[in-house]
Amino acid sequence: MSGEEGVKTSHGCCVSFANPFGSAKFLLYLGHALSTWGDRMWHFAVSVFLVELYGHSLLLTAVYGLVVAGTVLVFGALIGDWVDKNARLKVAQTSLIVQNASVAFCAATLIVIFLYKTELISLYQGWPLTICYLVVITIGTIATLASTATSITIQRDWIIVVAGENRTCLAAMNATMRRIDQVTNILSPLAVGQIITFGSLVTGCGFIAGWNILSMGLEYLILWKVYQKTPALAIKGGQKGDEQEMQQLNEKKELHPDKNASVNGHLMKEKSSNNVAPQEMETPSCSDIITRPFYTFRDAWVAYYEQPVFLAGMGLAFLYMTVLGFESIATGYAYTQGLSGSVLGILMGLSAIVGILGTVAFTRLQRRCGLVRTGVISGIAHLSCLMLCVVSVFLPTRPLDVPPSSLTNIKSLGNISSAGDLLDAITEVNLTTGKENLIESSRVAIEGMDLSPNYVPFLSVSLLFAGIIAARAGLWSFDLTVTQLMQENVSESERGIVNGVQSSMNNLLVLLHFVMVIIAPNPESFGLLVLISASFVAMGHLMYFRYAQKTLGKELFVCCSRESSLPPEVQDTELAGI
């Protein structure tokens, strides 16, 4: 083996050290960073804009979130089917243009609303303003669908081709992509937040619109460069199959030239009949055009169910049914418990750091223990950390306690300065309303409670967010595991449609999560949401454990020492059967 061949074998997709910044891998990272930066800025800013426009109410933001999640749920499979049936470069460029142009158009519409809101309200009883809201929600939803197509194309298809046959390199690339997600998730909202704070909402909209227009051109160029540097991207699905078929046919022809001449002619004739010119093909009827998306939707879900990694994908989707993350629900609850915005910012930064550590742990575990066992270890770590959140529910000062608003109302009825006085007041209210059964539970709830106006249930909230932060390492490691399992086990011809259905499943659980919060929106119900979330996370990991058991059998919990003693290329060979 020559030195050059040795470098290729050991590094796979990892480029030569001579020009790392011009490699397809680095360009893919750069394009992903630009795309993710724009996405994170828009997702953060649009919530702020809609809250400001609708009189500091969360209604319009909630409607926007529900519409987006529902649309991806319905159209995820169709987007995946479109990704599968079109050339890679065309799909990537089209989704990129639609995504960035849609966000820029939404930002421009918001500028018009901010500048002329008074005039829009006065015209035709406010209908122009309502139409502008509908335009923002509709075009924003289109941008999200295009972003889904981009994610499926780049993170579920292009990255596999760029990594080649090196599974270790694929794991490293997946982990790097996720680190980019974590970093941009912190920095981009911070950047646009500063622009809005020190400028104005109009300035923020203008910045986002300008960023997307400029970024679109740069990302377009980067995709073209990656495509040029990776010739394998030009070969997709059926094309590769045709080439392999012709190669096998030529080999047979060399062995039996006379015998295979007729077979060769028959196959060539068959191929020519399959490649009929478009004008010679039968024009589909209106009913076929209308019913085709429904058949595609059905076939996509059937294909998803038949995948060998079906249980692993379902397990990942169940993790989206949770309030145990740094999203609007958990942060909103933290505000009700007295945590300041600066403290929450610090906690979000710690969460991102722990998530990055989880991506580092994933690459090491994948090399030592194999991909499937990495998912088992990550799942156990994730679930164990979330048990801290469950414990926080049952502490004396817990999320199921009497809400602070109720305490304020009761304290306004009389001179209450201690927990004993509060218990007497609650007992009197319960006796008056005929709820004697609540007296004992109220006594346990308020025993030793501090009634000062600046009181923060430190132990309960601290344990809650300690569990959420610590769980990020296991969560991202588990997410990367399932992502790579789907990359490696889903056939190239079905990558788009299967990952489209996976996006639909994720958004279905997101919708259920929104419904759960709508049913129990009050802070005193947050403890119940924690318990439901932990149950869904546990069910998700149990699904993955079942998949791991079926895949590895009795070797599931075998020590990782044997794999770690093998060279990487031997590990790749052994793992190929998983």
Side-chain angles (χ1 to χ4, degrees):
M1 179 182 297
S2 66
E4 184 179 355
E5 292 174 348
V7 170
K8 289 181 180 180
T9 303
S10 60
H11 295 286
C13 73
C14 303
V15 292
S16 64
F17 295 101
N19 187 22
F21 298 108
S23 67
K25 186 179 73 167
F26 176 79
L27 291 174
L28 202 64
Y29 293 156
L30 181 59
H32 180 66
L34 290 172
S35 177
T36 306
W37 186 279
D39 271 351
R40 296 295 186 271
M41 281 200 306
W42 170 247
H43 289 315
F44 171 80
V46 70
S47 300
V48 177
F49 296 151
L50 294 179
V51 168
E52 183 68 26
L53 285 172
Y54 210 70
H56 296 277
S57 171
L58 293 174
L59 178 60
L60 197 58
T61 305
V63 170
Y64 179 79
L66 286 173
V67 170
V68 167
T71 304
V72 176
L73 168 63
V74 174
F75 293 101
L78 301 180
I79 291 173
D81 183 64
W82 175 73
V83 170
D84 283 334
K85 291 182 178 179
N86 291 275
R88 286 190 173 100
L89 187 61
K90 175 186 175 182
V91 169
Q93 292 176 339
T94 303
S95 57
L96 170 67
I97 293 173
V98 172
Q99 176 187 354
N100 286 271
S102 298
V103 171
F105 185 81
C106 281
T109 305
L110 288 171
I111 291 176
V112 173
I113 297 175
F114 281 123
L115 293 177
Y116 303 103
K117 184 177 180 181
T118 305
E119 291 81 354
L120 292 172
I121 292 175
S122 61
L123 290 174
Y124 303 103
Q125 299 180 341
W127 276 106
L129 181 61
T130 303
I131 292 174
C132 288
Y133 287 152
L134 292 176
V135 168
V136 170
I137 293 174
T138 303
I139 304 300
T141 302
I142 293 174
T144 302
L145 293 176
S147 176
T148 302
T150 302
S151 176
I152 293 173
T153 303
I154 303 300
Q155 300 183 47
R156 301 294 187 270
D157 186 28
W158 281 45
I159 189 174
I160 303 173
V161 180
V162 172
E165 301 298 327
N166 193 324
R167 296 163 57 94
T168 303
C169 186
L170 178 60
M173 290 185 70
N174 283 328
T176 303
M177 289 283 209
R178 201 52 49 87
R179 289 172 199 142
I180 292 173
D181 290 342
Q182 290 292 305
V183 173
T184 54
N185 199 31
I186 301 173
L187 297 182
S188 58
L190 180 63
V192 74
Q194 297 303 312
I195 292 172
I196 294 174
T197 301
F198 294 101
S200 64
L201 293 170
V202 173
T203 305
C205 291
F207 177 79
I208 292 174
W211 173 273
N212 279 272
I213 292 173
L214 295 175
S215 177
M216 178 172 60
L218 186 56
E219 290 178 58
Y220 193 96
L221 179 61
I222 289 173
L223 287 175
W224 174 246
K225 284 291 186 181
V226 173
Y227 190 80
Q228 283 184 322
K229 290 177 177 293
T230 314
L233 288 172
I235 304 172
K236 186 174 183 181
Q239 298 174 0
K240 186 181 293 186
D242 292 343
E243 289 183 0
Q244 292 175 349
E245 183 179 347
M246 292 303 298
Q247 183 179 358
Q248 294 173 359
L249 184 63
N250 290 332
E251 292 175 355
K252 291 182 180 180
K253 186 176 180 180
E254 291 176 359
L255 295 174
H256 306 285
D258 298 331
K259 183 177 180 181
N260 289 281
S262 60
V263 177
N264 186 10
H266 173 71
L267 288 176
M268 294 301 294
K269 186 182 298 183
E270 188 179 35
K271 280 189 176 290
S272 63
S273 65
N274 289 335
N275 296 326
V276 183
Q279 61 269 21
E280 298 177 7
M281 297 178 64
E282 183 180 353
T283 304
S285 62
C286 293
S287 60
D288 292 336
I289 296 175
I290 295 173
T291 58
R292 185 179 301 166
F294 296 97
Y295 287 118
T296 301
F297 185 84
R298 181 201 63 188
D299 296 340
W301 284 87
V302 171
Y304 178 75
Y305 175 76
E306 292 176 348
Q307 296 299 316
V309 290
F310 165 72
L311 283 175
M314 284 290 293
L316 178 62
F318 266 60
L319 268 58
Y320 283 80
M321 174 67 174
T322 181
V323 297
L324 300 176
F326 279 96
E327 54 174 9
S328 58
I329 307 303
T331 54
Y333 170 74
Y335 274 116
T336 66
Q337 299 302 301
L339 295 185
S340 64
S342 60
V343 172
L344 282 174
I346 295 173
L347 293 179
M348 290 181 69
L350 290 175
S351 173
I353 293 173
V354 173
I356 293 173
L357 293 177
T359 64
V360 175
F362 164 76
T363 55
R364 295 187 178 183
L365 285 172
Q366 189 269 340
R367 285 195 298 266
R368 291 179 59 85
C369 303
L371 196 57
V372 177
R373 292 188 185 92
T374 297
V376 173
I377 297 171
S378 303
I380 292 174
H382 181 219
L383 198 56
S384 299
C385 293
L386 289 185
M387 290 302 103
L388 295 176
C389 303
V390 174
V391 171
S392 72
V393 175
F394 298 98
L395 291 177
T397 52
R398 60 190 187 272
L400 287 176
D401 281 338
V402 181
S405 58
S406 298
L407 292 177
T408 303
N409 293 335
I410 293 175
K411 289 175 69 176
S412 65
L413 297 177
N415 186 16
I416 296 176
S417 59
S418 65
D421 294 337
L422 176 62
L423 178 59
D424 293 339
I426 292 179
T427 301
E428 182 178 351
V429 171
N430 288 331
L431 289 174
T432 304
T433 57
K435 299 179 179 178
E436 295 86 350
N437 58 316
L438 298 180
I439 295 176
E440 180 61 23
S441 61
S442 298
R443 184 191 66 78
V444 175
I446 67 174
E447 187 176 9
M449 182 178 291
D450 188 351
L451 299 180
S452 61
N454 296 323
Y455 169 70
V456 177
F458 179 77
L459 183 59
S460 175
V461 174
S462 298
L463 202 59
L464 174 69
F465 282 94
I468 292 175
I469 293 173
R472 308 308 282 180
L475 172 64
W476 288 119
S477 180
F478 181 81
D479 180 89
L480 285 168
T481 299
V482 177
T483 296
Q484 185 162 343
L485 283 171
M486 297 190 72
Q487 289 172 338
E488 295 177 355
N489 290 277
V490 177
S491 64
E492 184 178 359
S493 60
E494 293 182 324
R495 282 176 189 164
I497 200 165
V498 169
N499 283 287
V501 175
Q502 182 67 47
S503 297
S504 297
M505 277 299 306
N506 296 345
N507 280 274
L508 173 61
L509 272 297
V510 170
L511 276 177
L512 293 178
H513 146 264
F514 276 122
V515 171
M516 176 179 69
V517 175
I518 290 173
I519 294 174
N522 298 320
E524 61 267 25
S525 304
F526 190 78
L528 180 61
L529 302 184
V530 169
L531 297 178
I532 296 175
S533 299
S535 301
F536 271 85
V537 171
M539 285 189 287
H541 286 305
L542 286 176
M543 290 180 187
Y544 181 84
F545 294 158
R546 176 57 181 162
Y547 161 78
Q549 184 185 33
K550 291 171 63 177
T551 304
L552 298 179
K554 296 180 180 179
E555 298 181 357
L556 177 58
F557 297 103
V558 173
C559 180
C560 306
S561 58
R562 186 174 69 87
E563 285 83 356
S564 62
S565 63
L566 298 175
E569 58 269 18
V570 178
Q571 294 181 36
D572 290 342
T573 304
E574 284 201 352
L575 290 170
I578 295 178

